[in-house]
Amino acid sequence: MLQGQPITLEYKMSPGEVLEYHTQVESEQSLKEEGQFEATIRSVLEMKMEQKVLDVTGGLAKIDVTIQEGKILREGETMELPAVGQTIQITMKRNGDIVKTSVDFPFSQPAFPDRVLKVNDKWTGDSQMDIPLMDENGQQAGTKSVTLTYHYTLAGFDRVAGYDVALIQVECPQTSIEVQPEVNQSIVASGKTFFAHREGRLIKSNVETRTRITAPGAEVSTHIKVAVDLVNTPAPTGSIPNVGGGDEHFIIGA
C-alpha cells in the first residue's frame, strides 16, 4: 500500500458473511469521600460477538449481532454476562451511521466522512452519550444526553492480522459537563483503530477513556480500556483493489 494513495473508508461485505469479534473491557473505578479512605473496584469483561449481514437494500444493511460468550471478572469472582445469547438487530448506512437498532444504546458511533482521504487528513464526528442522573437518595432518576466530539486522523497504513489496514488515530479532547447542580463530569479519550479499507471491515481497535465525577465531598474516577479484535476470520490471500460498486458489499464494525 503506497503511503500517499488516497482511500475511502466504508463498511462492505457480502450478505450472509459472518464476522466474529472478541471484546475485552478493563475498568478501574476509584471513589474518594471526604474523611474516608479511597476505595477501588476493578473488573474485566470479555465477550465474543458474531455479526451476520442479513440483507442490503437501498444503501442500508440489516445486520444481526449475537453475543455468543461473555463473562465478567470482578473482585476475584467470575460471572456469566447476562446478555449471552441476545441478538441485536441493526440497520446501518455504508459510512457506519446507525439508523435503527432493536435496543437502545447509551451511546452512538460517529460515521466515516463521505470523502476520499489521504495520510494526515483529519475529520470530526459527534457521539451522543446518556449520563445517568441521581436523586437525593442516590437512586437513578433519568438520564441526560450529552454530545462528545471525537477527532480522527488518518495516521498512515500498516499490516495487521494479514490485512492491509488504515491506521486511524482517535482523540476526544477533555470535555466538562455539568450533570446536575454541583455535580460535574469530565471525559477524555484516546486510541487507535485499524480498518481494512479494501475489505471494509474493522480489524482491531484500542481506546482508553477516563472520566471524573466531582460532587460536594466526593469524587469518582474511572479508567476504561476497550480492546476489539477480529477473530476466526481468514485474511485475504491477495490484494483486491477497492473499486467501489453496488450494495453487495456492506457490514458494521464492532
Side-chain angles (χ1 to χ4, degrees):
M1 179 75 191
L2 297 177
Q3 291 292 311
Q5 182 176 339
I7 63 169
T8 300
L9 296 176
E10 59 183 14
Y11 295 97
K12 41 190 167 170
M13 180 175 280
S14 300
E17 271 194 321
V18 175
L19 294 179
E20 289 187 9
Y21 286 94
H22 175 266
T23 300
Q24 179 171 293
V25 181
E26 297 182 37
S27 175
E28 181 175 290
Q29 186 175 77
S30 299
L31 171 64
K32 294 180 181 177
E33 290 190 271
E34 206 170 84
Q36 296 187 20
F37 64 87
E38 178 178 330
T40 301
I41 300 175
R42 297 178 178 87
S43 66
V44 178
L45 180 151
E46 291 192 12
M47 180 170 56
K48 187 169 77 172
M49 297 183 298
E50 178 186 271
Q51 297 181 171
K52 182 175 181 180
V53 180
L54 303 180
D55 182 50
V56 181
T57 305
L60 295 176
K62 293 183 179 180
I63 304 145
D64 270 0
V65 179
T66 302
I67 301 173
Q68 295 182 313
E69 300 176 10
K71 62 182 179 181
I72 303 171
L73 176 62
R74 181 183 293 124
E75 302 300 307
E77 296 186 3
T78 301
M79 300 167 286
E80 182 175 331
L81 189 68
V84 168
Q86 179 182 6
T87 296
I88 302 167
Q89 296 177 337
I90 297 173
T91 302
M92 191 187 74
K93 296 179 181 179
R94 187 183 295 276
N95 66 353
D97 185 20
I98 295 176
V99 298
K100 183 180 179 181
T101 67
S102 60
V103 299
D104 292 328
F105 292 122
F107 61 90
S108 63
Q109 69 171 26
F112 286 138
D114 293 322
R115 58 186 171 91
V116 174
L117 300 169
K118 60 182 184 298
V119 173
N120 294 326
D121 275 355
K122 302 177 185 296
W123 67 97
T124 60
D126 289 339
S127 176
Q128 300 294 323
M129 184 175 69
D130 291 336
I131 296 177
L133 302 178
M134 300 297 174
D135 61 20
E136 62 275 8
N137 298 315
Q139 302 298 314
Q140 184 168 338
T143 59
K144 178 177 182 176
S145 181
V146 300
T147 300
L148 301 177
T149 299
Y150 282 80
H151 297 248
Y152 300 90
T153 303
L154 178 57
F157 299 97
D158 206 339
R159 184 87 175 165
V160 176
Y163 290 86
D164 290 326
V165 298
L167 168 57
I168 303 166
Q169 190 73 40
V170 184
E171 300 284 345
C172 177
Q174 182 165 314
T175 305
S176 298
I177 304 154
E178 185 181 39
V179 181
Q180 292 172 257
E182 296 189 285
V183 179
N184 296 283
Q185 179 170 355
S186 66
I187 302 172
V188 62
S190 64
K192 295 178 180 180
T193 294
F194 300 88
F195 189 82
H197 45 286
R198 291 194 180 100
E199 294 76 22
R201 62 182 62 166
L202 176 73
I203 305 302
K204 185 180 183 70
S205 176
N206 296 93
V207 177
E208 294 190 35
T209 302
R210 295 179 184 270
T211 65
R212 182 169 172 262
I213 300 174
T214 57
E219 177 183 310
V220 179
S221 299
T222 306
H223 181 200
I224 299 175
K225 298 180 182 180
V226 180
V228 179
D229 292 274
L230 179 67
V231 296
N232 298 331
T233 302
T237 55
S239 295
I240 302 174
N242 176 12
V243 295
D247 288 340
E248 69 275 8
H249 300 292
F250 207 157
I251 198 171
I252 187 173

